[in-house]
């Protein structure tokens, strides 16, 4: 559903992403893990079409910057950029118009109910607390029901109720066959819900592994993350076995 092929992005002399390739299936949640500066936001912004880069990205078979791909793609940025002079419901109306959504009101009300924004609908963007802004940011990304949804650090600033709702939504969207790519550096926030993880550091992919492959390997996601990013020996010291095939594949 989403194909990233040999993508390199440089900001001047800084290589933020170096020859990245991966593929995401429909009906899956992939977590993109990595320390600060790993290149997570850069690959997300490249996929969504905000940046120029070398390489190729397709969504549902369409090049990512085409109108066909844009119809399939959604993005929830890390920093909500709300309009101070639009109300909560006017923000949703703005997105509905941009995506030419008919009959969006039922879905809007459902999202407001789930994220506890129903009584905040008439508040202006600059009257909302940080947490409320992030909830609205999430509702705006979910309103068009994208087939492929990218979420950059979505849990930051959310209260426990909103985190629970978002996790439920991930499960529902997976069942509906949607593809989600969730970037985070907080492993606990995604530990229960991922199908695949891609671990990045310094612009490269260090591991690209499905949950069942990691379960067979016997490591937790956190152990894998620290083994990959803190330079531990990648061979198994007790058995002397070579690195697993998915680690090799990611190199
Ligand atoms: P992450 O999201 O994993 O924290 P980023 O993609 O934001 O990482 O950053 C990757 C690298 O690119 C870092 O070294 C960062 O300093 C650099 N970088 C990101 N955005 C810019 C920019 N607009 N201009 C210059 N360098 C940037």
């Amino acid at each position: 559903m989403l194909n990233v092929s040999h993508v390199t992005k440089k900001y001047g002399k800084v290589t933020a992403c170096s020859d990245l390739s991966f593929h995401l299936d429909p009906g899956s949640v992939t977590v993109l893990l990595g320390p600060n500066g790993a290149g997570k936001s850069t690959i997300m912004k490249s996929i969504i079409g905000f940046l120029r880069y070398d390489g190729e990205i397709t969504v549902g078979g369409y090049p990512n910057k085409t109108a066909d791909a844009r119809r399939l793609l959604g993005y929830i940025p890390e920093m909500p950029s709300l309009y101070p002079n639009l109300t909560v419901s006017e923000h949703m109306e703005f997105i509905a118009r941009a995506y030419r959504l008919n009959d969006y009101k039922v879905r809007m009300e459902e999202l407001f109910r789930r994220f506890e924004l129903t009584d905040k609908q008439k508040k202006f963007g600059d009257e909302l607390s940080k947490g409320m802004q992030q909830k609205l940011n999430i509702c705006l990304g979910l309103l068009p029901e994208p087939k492929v949804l990218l979420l950059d650090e979505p849990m930051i600033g959310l209260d426990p109720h909103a985190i629970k709702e978002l996790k439920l939504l991930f499960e529902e969207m997976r069942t509906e066959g949607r593809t989600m790519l969730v970037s985070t550096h907080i492993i606990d926030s995604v530990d229960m819900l991922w199908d695949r993880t891609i671990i990045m550091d310094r612009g490269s992919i260090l591991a690209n592994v499905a949950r069942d492959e990691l379960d067979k390997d016997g490591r937790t996601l956190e152990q894998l993350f620290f083994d990959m990013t803190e330079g531990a020996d990648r061979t198994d010291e007790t058995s002397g076995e070579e690195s697993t095939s998915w680690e090799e594949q990611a190199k």
Side-chain angles (χ1 to χ4, degrees):
M1 192 65 197
L2 173 68
N3 204 51
V4 172
S5 180
H6 300 291
V7 169
T8 294
K9 170 67 191 174
K10 293 183 181 170
Y11 299 103
K13 287 188 182 148
V14 176
T15 303
C17 293
S18 175
D19 196 27
L20 301 188
S21 296
F22 58 89
H23 172 85
L24 304 185
D25 294 324
S28 65
V29 178
T30 299
V31 294
L32 186 57
L33 291 177
N36 291 327
K40 305 181 298 295
S41 294
T42 300
I43 190 62
M44 291 265 194
K45 288 179 194 158
S46 301
I47 294 169
I48 207 74
F50 289 171
L51 297 176
R52 265 190 247 156
Y53 53 84
D54 293 321
E56 198 176 76
I57 300 175
T58 58
V59 183
Y62 303 110
N64 64 332
K65 293 184 183 176
T66 60
D68 286 324
R70 283 178 199 274
R71 266 192 283 278
L72 302 174
L73 260 177
Y75 176 53
I76 299 180
E78 182 179 4
M79 294 286 180
S81 55
L82 302 178
Y83 297 99
N85 51 355
L86 287 188
T87 65
V88 167
S89 49
E90 283 167 351
H91 277 88
M92 295 292 260
E93 192 183 327
F94 181 79
I95 292 292
R97 285 189 189 195
Y99 282 83
R100 300 203 175 108
L101 306 177
N102 298 317
D103 306 329
Y104 69 94
K105 290 210 168 143
V106 172
R107 178 159 173 80
M108 177 180 85
E109 279 158 21
E110 165 78 358
L111 287 168
F112 284 166
R113 188 186 58 72
R114 296 183 73 159
F115 287 95
E116 298 181 309
L117 289 173
T118 306
D119 62 347
K120 309 285 183 305
Q121 291 184 56
K122 294 206 165 70
K123 285 207 181 286
F124 288 95
D126 62 358
E127 290 177 329
L128 299 174
S129 70
K130 281 258 158 59
M132 284 177 207
Q133 289 182 23
Q134 177 62 349
K135 289 188 210 179
L136 176 56
N137 187 34
I138 288 171
C139 292
L140 295 169
L142 293 172
L143 189 67
E145 301 187 85
K147 285 267 189 292
V148 178
L149 180 60
L150 312 183
L151 303 100
D152 200 350
E153 300 283 3
M155 313 286 188
I156 290 184
L158 293 185
D159 57 29
H161 175 86
I163 291 174
K164 192 180 103 207
E165 278 304 330
L166 188 59
K167 288 182 175 176
L168 279 172
L169 273 156
F170 281 137
E171 282 169 21
E172 291 167 21
M173 288 192 284
R174 173 166 44 202
T175 308
E176 291 163 0
R178 299 180 201 279
T179 306
M180 284 151 282
L181 180 62
V182 187
S183 133
T184 187
H185 62 274
I186 308 174
I187 299 172
D188 286 351
S189 69
V190 289
D191 207 14
M192 295 310 292
L193 50 85
W194 60 282
D195 301 302
R196 174 168 289 281
T197 186
I198 295 175
I199 298 181
M200 286 184 71
D201 196 9
R202 288 173 230 167
S204 297
I205 294 178
L206 305 182
N208 178 349
V209 56
R211 180 187 275 269
D212 54 351
E213 290 173 297
L214 189 64
D215 287 347
K216 273 188 227 144
D217 186 61
R219 273 187 278 181
T220 64
L221 184 55
E222 191 174 42
Q223 283 166 337
L224 174 70
F225 178 80
F226 287 121
D227 287 351
M228 291 283 120
T229 57
E230 296 196 341
D233 186 348
R234 292 186 202 170
T235 58
D236 179 336
E237 284 172 15
T238 52
S239 67
E241 282 172 12
E242 296 294 314
S243 307
T244 51
S245 58
W246 43 264
E247 284 173 0
E248 291 296 339
Q249 283 163 20
K251 280 183 199 165

